[in-house]
Amino acid sequence: MCSVVGYVGKNRSRSFVMEGLGRLEYRGYDSAGFACLNPDDHRLLYAKSEGRLDNLAKELDASPIDGFISVGHTRWSTHGISSAQNAHPHFDSQKKVAVVHNGIIENHRELRAQLEEAGHVFYSETDTEIIAHLFEVLLLSHKTFKPALIDLVNKLEGAYAFICIMQDNPDQMIIVRKRSPLCIGIGDDEMFVASDALAFAGKTNKVLYMPDESFALIKKDMLELYDFKGQPLHPPVQILDLDWDVHEKMEHDHYMLKEIYEQKGVIHATIDFLRNLGNRVWDHIGVSQDYVAKLDKINLIGCGTSWHAARIAQFYFEQICMIPTSVHLASEFRYKPFFTENNALYVAISQSGETADTLEALRLINSTEIPTIALTNVASSTMVREAGGFLLTQAGREIAVASTKAFSTQIATLYWFAHRIALAKGLISQQQMEQAESDILVAAEVLENSLENYKVAIAHTYAKKYAQYEKAIFLGRHISYPFAMEAALKLKEIAYIFAQCYPAGELKHGPLALVDDKTPIFVFSTQDPLVYQKLLSNTQEAKARNGHIVVFAFDGQEELCALADVAFIMPHVKPLLSPLAMTGVMQYLVYSIAKELGRPIDKPRNLAKSVTVE
Ligand code: F6R
């Protein structure tokens, strides 16, 4: 996934496009590019650079170009390495058409071969360059835009959003959307285009989300929108309350640290928001209270950290609502048989609400009768628009690529939602519902206080110690197993330390062979007495082989702590909320290890915040 930004209008546009790209850099930061039409002679001018947007900004400062129509791009590499050569925009053979693109053209090999046979020469390894060349060919044969575009979109397979500017049509921009997000901000004698409306927040609040499989011809004061058959479309223009407040890191070294510290506050905000919904919750989620009371099956679906939140929440729906619950990895979901179920519900969990794997799974489920809900942090996201209903976490914008506060607000929301369903089913009383809300706030308090307790020791001692290891084993059981998976993901993602997670009971079935003095073992405890005893035995097995043990335990778990070389001990919370209680210390430890290693914590290599390719 990448980000595309475009402008056509009354103003010179470079500063808008560069600022917009900066706001969307969370979508990829492998390279960046800008193209515009020179206001005097309409020549296509461009600049590209490898790496972060700053590099492009420096290049543009050294050799300034600007125009009243322009496009920009930040890239997350899919086809071809990260290099200036593969950076967008890409051009047709005559360098008269510039294209910036987000998505994947699945039949790019076949199209490239056909175009090469017809004499076209390609300068990059990207699938995007094919769009420019194919458009060139089709414009020649069709003469006018509309038929050429209809032909083009019917030849391109995959998921894509692209913007195209042309030297021969200096006041017109073409934009196309199939599956990948794209929206238009309608201003006063100016149009803004972007992968995410955040790019133009503060410039206009009139937003048109491009319908799936549509293209638009845009001038500064004109917008024509068509479906892929060429039929005109007139979707509603939404008035959105878009805001871009400058998200300062404040006194923190990284956004990730700021976001770790914000967790107690945003969990409170989330619970206040949910509590205030009252009975409107059913309108929000688009499912009646009667339907919820009869639920026989819940399905949770997500990727990465959101999938870990789902795995934790499986215990909530099964133990609190007594409803059998399945958790699906969105990236695998579409490729296995799908069985429709009666009295079922699907909850798609996604911080961004844009993750392509989750979105495609949601679309598949939406083609059946089963109701869907999006649980996301972004009210203007595609999932909110496409799911049958939605629940919003109130984490505020999460900027660091590694998810922290989104994860904890997801867990808090899912715990709350499980109780809300239990209330609708008559399994708990209103008083128990209120108790559950306070239990979440207590766990948020423990999250923050434990972090405060251990932060000096972590920053000064443990970060240095564990930064020296090249690999680690993570163990958990029951509800702490998915939490251990989340911890291992965080360590890999921001510290680049290989971390393998197992359910602790599996150790003796093979992984015990890995135990040595070069591989610390991080054990995450639970408060369930039976599971605790089993986890204790598993830890003993590792200790007996000279394993170096770090435990995350709860007050009174002395036997486990006695086995540990290092122990982080938290106060008791409601047992099902123990992952929330451990979240702050776990994230801070991993953050501090990554900092010790000098990693680019907010933007780890090879990653992006919003993953809009499958
Ligand atoms: C890890 C992380 C990712 C995301 C995943 C899904 O820290 O942030 O694993 O959780 O890419 O993203 P969303 O939740 O936006 O669907």
Side-chain angles (χ1 to χ4, degrees):
M1 65 268 118
C2 307
S3 69
V4 295
V5 174
Y7 176 92
V8 52
K10 60 189 176 193
N11 292 314
R12 289 190 186 241
S13 51
R14 187 179 106 203
S15 67
F16 158 70
V17 169
M18 291 301 284
E19 190 189 337
L21 289 176
R23 294 180 187 186
L24 304 195
E25 217 186 359
Y26 70 86
R27 302 174 64 88
Y29 37 79
D30 289 338
S31 64
F34 172 78
C36 63
L37 298 180
N38 193 22
D40 300 331
D41 56 8
H42 304 147
R43 258 177 327 123
L44 188 55
L45 307 173
Y46 68 93
K48 306 175 179 200
S49 61
E50 197 193 336
R52 305 271 158 92
L53 191 60
D54 284 351
N55 298 346
L56 178 67
K58 280 185 202 129
E59 207 167 310
L60 284 167
D61 285 345
S63 318
I65 52 173
D66 208 345
F68 297 100
I69 179 164
S70 63
V71 288
H73 189 267
T74 58
R75 178 165 185 250
W76 184 76
S77 315
T78 54
H79 295 77
I81 56 163
S82 310
S83 64
Q85 196 185 359
N86 285 333
H88 298 210
H90 292 286
F91 309 99
D92 65 330
S93 350
Q94 300 184 60
K95 277 225 168 107
K96 286 182 159 188
V97 173
V99 176
V100 289
H101 161 227
N102 165 36
I104 292 180
I105 307 300
E106 281 169 2
N107 57 339
H108 70 104
R109 272 190 207 87
E110 181 192 323
L111 292 172
R112 182 184 277 252
Q114 287 165 10
L115 287 160
E116 277 173 342
E117 211 174 297
H120 288 252
V121 177
F122 291 92
Y123 293 93
S124 75
E125 301 157 278
T126 65
D127 50 347
T128 308
E129 201 177 353
I130 278 119
I131 304 175
H133 283 254
L134 188 56
F135 191 38
E136 175 186 12
V137 171
L138 297 173
L139 265 179
L140 268 179
S141 59
H142 289 285
K143 308 283 187 271
T144 52
F145 288 132
K146 234 179 96 182
L149 274 168
I150 295 170
D151 206 356
L152 177 68
V153 295
N154 285 298
K155 287 190 161 61
L156 298 177
E157 288 167 17
Y160 49 82
F162 64 83
I163 314 178
C164 170
I165 54 173
M166 297 145 293
Q167 194 166 294
D168 293 342
N169 291 277
D171 58 349
Q172 180 155 281
M173 174 178 273
I174 288 171
I175 68 175
V176 182
R177 173 189 180 209
K178 182 178 179 186
R179 300 198 176 268
S180 301
L182 197 60
C183 55
I184 307 167
I186 302 168
D188 183 14
D189 264 350
E190 54 187 352
M191 299 281 184
F192 310 90
V193 180
S195 305
D196 180 333
L198 257 194
F200 49 77
K203 310 273 180 209
T204 178
N205 59 356
K206 289 190 203 156
V207 185
L208 192 148
Y209 285 95
M210 294 269 293
D212 196 25
E213 306 210 350
S214 68
F215 65 85
L217 308 177
I218 305 178
K219 294 183 178 178
K220 66 178 181 179
D221 50 4
M222 180 208 94
L223 194 170
E224 289 174 8
L225 187 69
Y226 302 96
D227 69 14
F228 276 9
K229 293 198 181 85
Q231 296 303 313
L233 294 171
H234 303 284
V237 173
Q238 302 184 29
I239 307 295
L240 291 186
D241 192 14
L242 292 169
D243 229 356
W244 174 262
D245 39 331
V246 180
H247 291 267
E248 296 292 351
K249 280 186 274 178
M250 310 214 279
E251 76 275 21
H252 302 297
D253 289 344
H254 297 96
Y255 282 109
M256 183 176 177
L257 186 57
K258 171 178 175 271
E259 290 163 4
I260 289 173
Y261 278 121
E262 281 172 352
Q263 291 181 104
K264 180 178 141 187
V266 294
I267 292 170
H268 272 255
T270 301
I271 296 307
D272 279 350
F273 171 82
L274 294 169
R275 203 183 344 226
N276 289 337
L277 281 180
N279 275 335
R280 283 180 298 130
V281 67
W282 312 120
D283 297 338
H284 264 251
I285 65 169
V287 179
S288 72
Q289 184 164 354
D290 289 345
Y291 187 87
V292 166
K294 282 190 244 136
L295 275 180
D296 289 329
K297 179 74 195 291
I298 290 178
N299 295 280
L300 308 172
I301 189 157
C303 298
T305 291
S306 295
W307 181 71
H308 296 150
R311 292 285 306 259
I312 289 169
Q314 180 176 18
F315 292 92
Y316 301 165
F317 293 108
E318 293 190 338
Q319 294 190 19
I320 299 164
C321 317
M322 321 278 235
I323 300 175
T325 302
S326 297
V327 180
H328 309 274
L329 256 181
S331 54
E332 293 291 318
F333 184 76
R334 285 206 298 156
Y335 310 102
K336 64 188 184 69
F338 178 78
F339 301 103
T340 57
E341 293 159 330
N342 293 327
N343 303 329
L345 181 66
Y346 269 87
V347 184
I349 304 170
S350 170
Q351 186 283 131
S352 59
E354 301 293 347
T355 301
D357 291 317
T358 313
L359 194 55
E360 289 305 328
L362 179 72
R363 286 174 176 151
L364 173 68
I365 307 152
N366 276 345
S367 68
T368 72
E369 297 292 308
I370 309 179
T372 56
I373 300 174
L375 168 57
T376 163
N377 193 35
V378 182
S380 58
S381 62
T382 310
M383 281 184 212
V384 168
R385 290 196 300 280
E386 297 201 8
F390 60 90
L391 272 177
L392 293 174
T393 48
Q394 304 293 312
R397 193 158 177 74
E398 195 179 58
I399 292 183
V401 163
S403 193
T404 52
K405 59 178 181 169
F407 172 69
S408 50
T409 51
Q410 283 168 349
I411 296 180
T413 304
L414 289 160
Y415 187 79
W416 180 90
F417 190 41
H419 281 85
R420 199 66 192 78
I421 294 177
L423 182 64
K425 283 175 96 66
L427 296 172
I428 61 166
S429 64
Q430 178 60 33
Q431 201 187 2
Q432 285 169 305
M433 178 76 222
E434 284 161 23
Q435 183 59 48
E437 287 167 351
S438 340
D439 292 339
I440 297 170
L441 303 185
V442 170
E445 195 72 29
V446 170
L447 178 161
E448 185 168 290
N449 290 346
S450 310
L451 164 54
E452 286 301 326
N453 258 350
Y454 285 111
K455 77 175 182 199
V456 174
I458 289 175
H460 293 287
T461 311
Y462 301 129
K464 284 188 184 56
K465 185 176 175 74
Y466 295 108
Q468 290 167 19
Y469 290 95
E470 284 176 3
K471 52 190 172 25
I473 294 174
F474 282 66
L475 301 177
R477 274 196 97 133
H478 191 257
I479 202 164
S480 75
Y481 169 51
F483 182 74
M485 285 199 273
E486 170 61 8
L489 173 66
K490 288 276 108 65
L491 189 69
K492 285 180 272 207
E493 185 181 21
I494 62 163
Y496 314 158
I497 294 178
F498 183 77
Q500 183 74 40
C501 182
Y502 298 101
E506 281 298 293
L507 209 54
K508 57 190 177 296
H509 298 295
L512 210 45
L514 292 173
V515 173
D516 60 18
D517 57 1
K518 295 185 191 63
T519 317
I521 301 168
F522 292 82
V523 179
F524 296 89
S525 188
T526 74
Q527 292 176 83
D528 180 298
L530 187 63
V531 181
Y532 169 68
Q533 284 307 325
K534 301 288 172 199
L535 185 77
L536 192 57
S537 313
N538 303 143
T539 312
Q540 265 153 353
E541 289 152 15
K543 188 70 198 169
R545 273 100 189 152
N546 286 330
H548 176 94
I549 313 278
V550 181
V551 300
F552 283 64
F554 290 89
D555 273 343
Q557 298 188 331
E558 271 98 21
E559 281 175 286
L560 183 62
C561 296
L563 295 174
D565 296 275
V566 174
F568 300 106
I569 304 166
M570 328 282 146
H572 282 268
V573 292
K574 272 274 146 60
L576 289 180
L577 288 171
S578 53
L580 204 53
M582 294 188 282
T583 293
V585 181
M586 176 279 276
Q587 292 169 343
Y588 188 77
L589 175 64
V590 173
Y591 164 83
S592 306
I593 294 171
K595 191 170 166 210
E596 185 64 31
L597 291 166
R599 305 297 190 220
I601 292 178
D602 286 334
K603 288 180 181 163
R605 68 183 178 203
N606 306 336
L607 299 180
K609 182 76 184 153
S610 178
V611 188
T612 56
V613 292
E614 282 181 77

